Amino acid sequence: GENVEQHPSTLSVQEGDSAVIKCTYSDSASNYFPWYKQELGKRPQLIIDIRSNVGEKKDQRIAVTLNKTAKHFSLHITETQPEDSAVYFCAAGSGGTSYGKLTFGQGTILTVHP
Amino acid sequence: EAGVTQSPTHLIKTRGQQATLRCSPISGHTSVYWYQQALGLGLQFLLWYDEGEERNRGNFPPRFSGRQFPNYSSELNVNALELEDSALYLCASSLDRTGELFFGEGSRLTVL
């Protein structure tokens, strides 16, 4: 089955700095790569996603890049703010009968210091 | 519009007992997914229901089961509870096969 590795497990940055979280996946059939943010005691919420026919996607301060050949994708947060502090999860999924069966990484605890 | 709702918020059981968790998807969503989030770990896929049918299942033993009702709400049953079943159980729904999952706040199950 699919296996998703996420690094680093913790990341501490100063406000205004950039943060990068990286994930690798094993199943070449995976074609959907979402990123979820989970604040303490809250539900995971989708912040950005990318599909395998696209190499990069941006949404304001957040961007995701995908390298299908190397089977890795990354989340980039620029101009970090204290409210960006949360646990971030990457995930990989595919369509067909596996739709909805996302395989998640172990999460990255991001702390943004004011 | 109400999001995905789950009940109970917290549940405490002892080993060997059964637990039932409930989920109501966002109105109009027909697919419901269950994930387990154990402490310090990522989310593990449990079950996917769509149009009342179980469509896919994760690597969990048969004592994890569930169903989806005609109104698309769902329940997750865990039989013969074990200590390692202690976790946050998250339900999610989606509008269609576009990918985005909308999660509920979760039900925290503690097995003593």
Side-chain angles (χ1 to χ4, degrees):
Chain A
E2 175 66 281
N3 182 51
V4 176
E5 297 285 339
Q6 181 172 347
H7 299 281
S9 56
T10 60
L11 181 59
S12 183
V13 299
Q14 289 297 127
E15 183 176 1
D17 287 350
S18 294
V20 180
I21 303 171
K22 299 182 179 181
C23 289
T24 59
Y25 62 98
S26 60
D27 189 351
S28 56
S30 290
N31 56 17
Y32 175 63
F33 307 93
W35 286 87
Y36 284 83
K37 175 184 180 182
Q38 187 175 28
E39 297 178 12
L40 189 62
K42 298 292 183 69
R43 70 188 74 194
Q45 291 191 296
L46 180 72
I47 55 172
I48 195 167
D49 57 10
I50 191 168
R51 298 185 186 275
S52 58
N53 58 345
V54 176
E56 184 177 4
K57 184 177 180 180
K58 290 182 179 179
D59 183 3
Q60 299 182 343
R61 297 186 296 108
I62 295 172
V64 58
T65 59
L66 171 65
N67 183 326
K68 285 186 61 181
T69 302
K71 296 199 188 86
H72 67 70
F73 55 113
S74 301
L75 177 71
H76 304 253
I77 306 174
T78 59
E79 300 173 20
T80 54
Q81 301 167 2
E83 51 264 40
D84 294 331
S85 296
V87 181
Y88 291 80
F89 292 97
C90 64
S94 58
T97 57
S98 294
Y99 177 77
K101 185 180 178 180
L102 295 177
T103 301
F104 283 79
Q106 297 296 73
T108 296
I109 302 172
L110 173 64
T111 304
V112 180
H113 299 281
Chain B
E1 182 180 297
V4 176
T5 58
Q6 292 186 243
S7 64
T9 305
H10 294 89
L11 187 61
I12 299 175
K13 293 285 187 177
T14 57
R15 287 179 58 189
Q17 286 189 314
Q18 179 197 37
T20 297
L21 310 176
R22 295 178 177 83
C23 171
S24 293
I26 292 173
S27 178
H29 289 194
T30 61
S31 281
V32 171
Y33 313 85
W34 288 95
Y35 283 81
Q36 181 195 65
Q37 186 175 28
L39 190 62
L41 298 178
L43 287 73
Q44 303 290 321
F45 171 78
L46 264 167
L47 291 159
W48 167 32
Y49 291 96
D50 182 59
E51 298 286 354
E53 299 284 334
E54 182 180 303
R55 301 296 184 182
N56 208 330
R57 182 181 183 86
N59 296 323
F60 283 84
R63 56 191 187 82
F64 286 84
S65 64
R67 55 179 171 166
Q68 187 178 34
F69 299 99
N71 66 353
Y72 303 114
S73 67
S74 175
E75 68 179 26
L76 173 69
N77 295 295
V78 188
N79 295 319
L81 285 166
E82 301 178 2
L83 297 178
E84 52 265 35
D85 296 334
S86 294
L88 181 68
Y89 289 85
L90 291 163
C91 173
S93 71
S94 66
L95 175 61
D96 53 32
R97 300 184 179 216
T98 59
E100 181 172 5
L101 301 185
F102 295 84
F103 284 91
E105 296 284 2
S107 293
R108 184 162 296 283
L109 172 63
T110 301
V111 182
L112 303 176

